[in-house]
Amino acid sequence: MTNPSPPETAPNSAADTAMADASALLFHDVPAAVYLRGVDGKFLEVNNATAALFGHAGPAAFLSAMADCPEQFYLDPTARQSVLDELAASGVVNGRRYQAMCDDGYVIWIEESAKRTVSPEGDVFYVGFLRDVTEEKSTSWALAEAEEKYRTIFENAVEGLFQMTPAGRFVTVNGALSRMLRFASPEALTALGDAAANLFTRPEDRQFLHAALSETGVVRAMETELRRGDGTRIWVSLQARAVRGGDGAVVLYEGSMEDVTERRRSQEALRHNLKRTKALFHQTVKSLSTTVRFRDPYTAGHQDSVARLATAMAKRLGLDRDTVDCIQVAGQLHDIGKISVPVRYLCKPGRLIGLEWEFMKQHAATGYEILKDIDFPWPVAEIVLCHHERLDGSGYPRGLGGEALCQPARILAVADVLDAMASNRPYRPALGVAAALEELARHRGTAFDADAVDAAWDAVTAGDVAY
């Protein structure tokens, strides 16, 4: 009697396992961005190239981020739905292009191709490929396509829209901009050639614009004075971004301008009114403070709370009435510079990163610029400029420390931190008064003035202010 032959399935099973392992390795290491998703659009598997394309550490991080965001990486949610609808209807998508958001907030252009597939068990999946086509969209082809698609919007926009060369020549402008700058037509403005650079009354402003766009690629809410075609002058708020060619060099600036002359005149009138009458002084200060409320209600409430806390601290320290009034006014206005910070940064639900944080840090200097020419009886503008400085020199914007910081600035710095930690913020809930006082105590005598920290502790625990 012969021994039975071994089952023929064993070698095949081993081979199948080896083939599956090889396929998985190939899937994850192939340089092209590949994904597998369900018919509901949920990503089931992606390879390393897909994760890297959107700036994630790996496939797991990508899948987690996509699960947390209903729109996934699609900048326009309708683009996602359009891809899924086409796959459901025809089973294939070829070369669909749209804008996508990376993990760091950077926007890129993506080309997506996908095909419907059915597993042996009858389950339906979509297998797709993604390609970064951002460079292609930055070429002249992309500019021509955008011009054709958005010409109607461009011509009928209320804001002044433009495309400008780095040398200062307007390539394209809309009717709103030519009217704003008092030229007979858009063609009359573009006909200026490189002489359009002379529209800037301050050459250093144009130089700053060029440097900022070359380095960061974007400028927001830059206010500058321009000469109109009839010789009059106008203040504008300028938003612009750099358009780069395939070699990375800046080929164009494109953006918008808004006439802010009346607002600038209103600011000047406010300064004049403050000089004319001291009787309306505190009422005017309050009006200045509440202008921020129209852009960011949190900042307005925060300024009022900081003013109350800083005033209570000053009284605890036994300071004279004049100094207490100085600290109260500085507290009411310490964040007025945030009026120049884009609302999307003020209300962002997450922490600010990169250029967002750099823009936010400018608010102290912007507040100084707004307040410096107002004839206050105290150095309010300087105190506002210093409210993020630290005793050990670790603060901003100038890194001052020690004796360079006046007592009102030291008090305001402590009050600002305590109120910020004890209050709800757009990116986190309140940490509580106890945590705030503990943080101040940890840095007492180093980053924060010891007397000011003690005064804050006494004011809060005694109930001078309530949270």
Side-chain angles (χ1 to χ4, degrees):
M1 184 173 180
T2 60
N3 293 327
S5 301
E8 295 183 1
T9 57
N12 292 338
S13 296
D16 290 344
T17 300
M19 181 61 73
D21 291 342
S23 297
L25 183 62
L26 178 63
F27 173 80
H28 282 292
D29 290 343
V30 68
V34 185
Y35 68 74
L36 178 70
R37 70 200 307 181
V39 292
D40 60 354
K42 179 180 179 181
F43 286 96
L44 305 175
E45 190 69 41
V46 300
N47 66 349
N48 292 321
T50 302
L53 178 61
F54 295 99
H56 293 277
F62 175 88
L63 293 174
S64 175
M66 295 303 102
D68 291 340
C69 180
E71 293 82 11
Q72 297 175 339
F73 53 71
Y74 296 85
L75 191 63
D76 181 358
T78 62
R80 174 182 181 274
Q81 192 58 48
S82 177
V83 169
L84 295 177
D85 290 345
E86 188 170 342
L87 284 169
S90 65
V92 64
V93 166
N94 284 318
R96 179 66 65 87
R97 293 187 172 189
Y98 50 82
Q99 288 181 297
M101 181 79 72
C102 294
D103 184 48
D104 62 0
Y106 189 73
V107 176
I108 61 175
W109 279 92
I110 290 294
E111 181 180 89
E112 181 172 2
S113 298
K115 185 177 181 180
R116 183 171 58 210
T117 184
V118 181
S119 72
E121 292 78 17
D123 295 321
V124 178
F125 301 98
Y126 300 142
V127 178
F129 302 86
L130 302 171
R131 187 167 71 91
D132 184 350
V133 294
T134 305
E135 278 196 27
E136 295 179 22
K137 294 294 290 185
S138 297
T139 62
S140 59
W141 168 82
L143 293 174
E145 181 187 65
E147 182 178 356
E148 180 180 355
K149 185 175 182 180
Y150 297 110
R151 172 58 60 182
T152 301
I153 298 174
F154 181 83
E155 290 297 341
N156 293 286
V158 176
E159 300 86 359
L161 305 180
F162 66 87
Q163 289 181 323
M164 175 190 289
T165 67
R169 179 174 62 87
F170 285 111
V171 177
T172 308
V173 300
N174 67 348
L177 185 61
S178 63
R179 290 189 294 273
M180 184 189 303
L181 298 181
R182 295 188 178 173
F183 283 83
S185 66
E187 292 75 19
L189 192 49
T190 57
L192 290 175
D194 292 348
N198 295 327
L199 294 177
F200 287 84
T201 61
R202 290 162 44 94
E204 56 268 33
D205 283 357
R206 195 185 76 81
Q207 292 165 6
F208 171 82
L209 175 67
H210 176 72
L213 288 173
S214 297
E215 184 173 345
T216 68
V218 63
V219 165
R220 294 183 176 90
M222 173 186 169
E223 294 192 5
T224 185
E225 190 181 44
L226 301 180
R227 294 185 185 87
R228 287 169 158 169
D230 61 1
T232 60
R233 298 188 176 192
I234 181 176
W235 279 94
V236 299
S237 177
L238 192 150
Q239 324 273 343
R241 74 178 188 93
V243 177
R244 300 181 184 274
D247 60 355
V250 176
V251 295
L252 279 178
Y253 305 148
E254 59 182 23
S256 64
M257 294 184 192
E258 179 186 2
D259 183 353
V260 295
T261 306
E262 288 303 316
R263 177 169 64 78
R264 299 278 301 201
R265 288 174 179 168
S266 297
Q267 291 173 339
E268 291 302 319
L270 179 60
R271 295 188 182 99
H272 181 64
N273 289 336
L274 280 171
K275 289 186 75 172
R276 283 174 50 190
T277 172
K278 294 292 184 181
L280 295 176
F281 174 74
H282 285 287
Q283 180 180 347
T284 305
V285 168
K286 186 66 176 176
S287 297
L288 268 174
S289 175
T290 55
T291 58
V292 182
R293 193 182 306 276
F294 295 102
R295 286 173 56 84
D296 180 23
Y298 163 76
T299 297
H302 169 67
Q303 289 190 135
D304 293 339
S305 298
V306 169
R308 284 193 295 270
L309 176 57
T311 299
M313 291 166 58
K315 291 178 179 178
R316 285 278 168 181
L317 289 169
L319 302 183
D320 61 78
R321 182 71 247 177
D322 188 62
T323 304
V324 172
D325 289 342
C326 165
I327 291 171
Q328 179 182 8
V329 171
Q332 288 177 304
L333 299 174
H334 76 278
D335 272 345
I336 194 172
K338 287 184 179 178
I339 200 170
S340 70
V341 177
V343 173
R344 59 181 174 277
Y345 296 165
L346 294 172
C347 301
K348 183 179 178 181
R351 287 192 173 277
L352 300 180
I353 59 173
L355 189 60
E356 298 171 339
W357 177 235
E358 293 303 316
F359 268 106
M360 182 64 77
K361 286 168 64 177
Q362 293 177 10
H363 79 272
T366 301
Y368 173 82
E369 290 298 322
I370 292 173
L371 301 172
K372 67 178 182 179
D373 295 327
I374 299 178
D375 189 19
F376 291 106
W378 321 284
V380 172
E382 181 66 24
I383 296 169
V384 167
L385 181 62
C386 294
H387 77 276
H388 280 291
E389 301 286 4
R390 298 292 179 257
L391 205 60
D392 58 5
S394 62
Y396 66 86
R398 295 180 291 176
L400 300 181
E403 296 302 318
L405 298 178
C406 63
Q407 188 177 29
R410 299 183 187 199
I411 292 172
L412 196 60
V414 170
D416 184 46
V417 169
L418 193 154
D419 185 78
M421 292 185 66
S423 306
N424 291 320
R425 306 300 295 271
Y427 58 87
R428 60 147 174 81
L431 299 176
V433 174
L437 290 174
E438 182 179 346
E439 177 68 9
L440 291 171
R442 186 180 300 116
H443 299 286
R444 179 183 180 274
T446 53
F448 301 112
D449 180 84
D451 291 338
V453 171
D454 294 342
W457 181 279
D458 292 341
V460 171
T461 56
D464 296 349
V465 291
Y467 284 94

